Amino acid sequence: MAGEKWAFEQTFSFNHLPSKKLSFLQDRDVLKLLMKWSMLGRISAQSYSFDQCFYPYNSETFALCFFRDPKVVSSLRKMEAGDWVPLDKPVVSVDVEPVRCTKVSMELFDPIYSCGIVRPSGHVVKCFHDVYPDYDELRQMLQEEDSEHHYVVGKEERGEFLFRLFKHVCVGGELCQYEDTIEPYISTTKHIYKDLISVQKNPETKKINVVSTVFKVCAYDESGPCYPQRREEEQTFAYVIVDPFKRHMTLFYHCYGVGNFTL
C-alpha cells in the first residue's frame, strides 16, 4: 500500500537559476548596510524553477522534493565555520512553517512612529538595559515581550513576512553596529521585500495583491537539523518564497555570525 500511495503523491523537479540575481544583493548602499549590520557574506538568495503546479497545502512535499533534488543538492550552499559549503548528507525530512504575506505597502510600521520609539526626526529613542550597553526602544519592542511598546504592532501583523524581515535587519549579526535612525532599516526591508515577493493587480477591484506563498523551512538529515544550520539561532533562517504563476522559487537564507568587513 505504501508503494501505491507514493505513486499518487505529487513530486517536483527543480532547475537552478544562477543568472537570476536579486537587486538588493547588487545594490552598493544595501551591501554597505549589511556589512555594518554584520550580515554581509552570510546572506544569500538562490532561485530555482520547478515543473508542477504549486499549492500552499503541498508546501511540505514541495520542500522535501526540493532538498532531495539532484540539481538542488549540487548547487545549494549553507554557511559553516565561515565558508559556503554543500549539504553533506541526504535530507530525510523537513519542517515548514507557513508565513503570512499579504502586505503591499509599509503602513504596517506607522504605529512605530507615534508611540515613543522614534522621535519626529526619525532618531530611535535610546533606553537602559541590564545586558546591552547600547540599547534602544526599537530593539526592545522587537525582542522583549514585556516592553511597553511590544504590541504597538499587533500579533497578527508581527507574523507578516514584511515585519519578520524588518526584525531580522534591525537585530542583525554578531557584530552589528546599530543605526541611530529608523530609515535605513525601513528602506532596506522594503528593497528586500519587493525583490522577494510577486504581486498582481486584480482586474476587477484594481487592487494589488501578493501572489507569493512564503514559508520558513528547516531540513533534517540522519543526524538532526542540517539546514539552515545544525544549531538553532533566531537570526539564522531560511525562507522559501514561491511564485506559483512563474513557477519560480527563491530560498532566502542567513546564518548568524560575524559578517564580512569589506565589500
Side-chain angles (χ1 to χ4, degrees):
M1 280 299 291
E4 284 178 41
K5 179 175 178 287
W6 177 248
F8 292 107
E9 263 186 31
Q10 189 174 9
T11 58
F12 296 85
S13 294
F14 296 83
N15 274 309
H16 189 209
L17 301 173
S19 60
K20 187 181 176 185
K21 291 186 166 52
L22 299 189
S23 68
F24 78 90
L25 289 171
Q26 317 289 307
D27 186 298
R28 198 169 173 82
D29 292 333
V30 173
L31 295 177
K32 280 180 182 173
L33 288 168
L34 292 176
M35 181 169 70
K36 188 178 177 186
W37 302 334
S38 199
M39 299 173 90
L40 187 67
R42 307 186 70 87
I43 201 164
S44 70
Q46 291 183 263
S47 295
Y48 296 82
S49 61
F50 55 92
D51 65 339
Q52 303 288 329
C53 289
F54 169 84
Y55 300 100
Y57 69 80
N58 226 357
S59 296
E60 194 170 326
T61 301
F62 182 85
L64 191 56
C65 289
F66 175 78
F67 283 105
R68 288 176 166 177
D69 189 282
K71 289 181 178 173
V72 173
V73 172
S74 65
S75 59
L76 187 66
R77 296 290 178 269
K78 66 172 184 171
M79 174 68 61
E80 216 162 80
D83 290 314
W84 289 100
V85 298
L87 300 180
D88 54 350
K89 292 177 185 170
V91 166
V92 296
S93 66
V94 292
D95 273 345
V96 299
E97 176 201 338
V99 176
R100 187 177 159 88
C101 185
T102 64
K103 298 300 176 187
V104 291
S105 78
M106 303 299 278
E107 287 173 10
L108 169 69
F109 301 107
D110 287 354
I112 293 174
Y113 290 87
S114 56
C115 68
I117 292 173
V118 179
R119 299 189 195 284
S121 63
H123 283 76
V124 180
V125 176
K126 301 287 183 189
C127 64
F128 175 76
H129 194 280
D130 294 335
V131 180
Y132 307 108
D134 177 27
Y135 209 52
D136 57 56
E137 294 284 0
L138 178 60
R139 274 181 290 148
Q140 191 167 49
M141 181 273 284
L142 291 171
Q143 293 179 292
E144 300 189 17
E145 284 193 29
D146 58 357
S147 156
E148 63 173 305
H149 300 306
H150 187 76
Y151 287 110
V152 294
V153 177
K155 193 171 182 181
E156 191 175 84
E157 306 279 72
R158 290 177 78 98
E160 281 277 348
F161 185 49
L162 179 62
F163 189 87
R164 287 180 180 223
L165 284 181
F166 178 70
K167 183 177 177 181
H168 286 313
V169 298
C170 289
V171 176
E174 198 170 330
L175 296 180
C176 182
Q177 299 172 58
Y178 298 102
E179 298 296 323
D180 292 325
T181 63
I182 195 170
E183 198 282 326
Y185 298 131
I186 293 285
S187 62
T188 303
T189 300
K190 183 178 181 179
H191 196 150
I192 296 173
Y193 187 71
K194 282 181 75 174
D195 258 6
L196 290 174
I197 67 154
S198 304
V199 297
Q200 206 175 60
K201 185 184 269 190
N202 183 315
E204 288 167 17
T205 65
K206 306 293 185 222
K207 280 188 174 176
I208 303 286
N209 296 313
V210 175
V211 296
S212 303
T213 293
V214 181
F215 54 89
K216 198 173 183 180
V217 66
C218 179
Y220 300 81
D221 61 23
E222 60 187 12
S223 308
C226 63
Y227 190 94
Q229 198 67 12
R230 293 239 172 246
R231 73 190 167 81
E232 204 174 313
E233 156 61 54
E234 195 180 4
Q235 283 292 91
T236 294
F237 55 78
Y239 293 101
V240 173
I241 301 97
V242 182
D243 181 330
F245 298 110
K246 285 185 180 172
R247 290 190 182 174
H248 281 186
M249 62 148 285
T250 298
L251 186 64
F252 179 54
Y253 170 96
H254 174 253
C255 175
Y256 179 79
V258 179
N260 294 349
F261 295 111
T262 53
L263 288 180

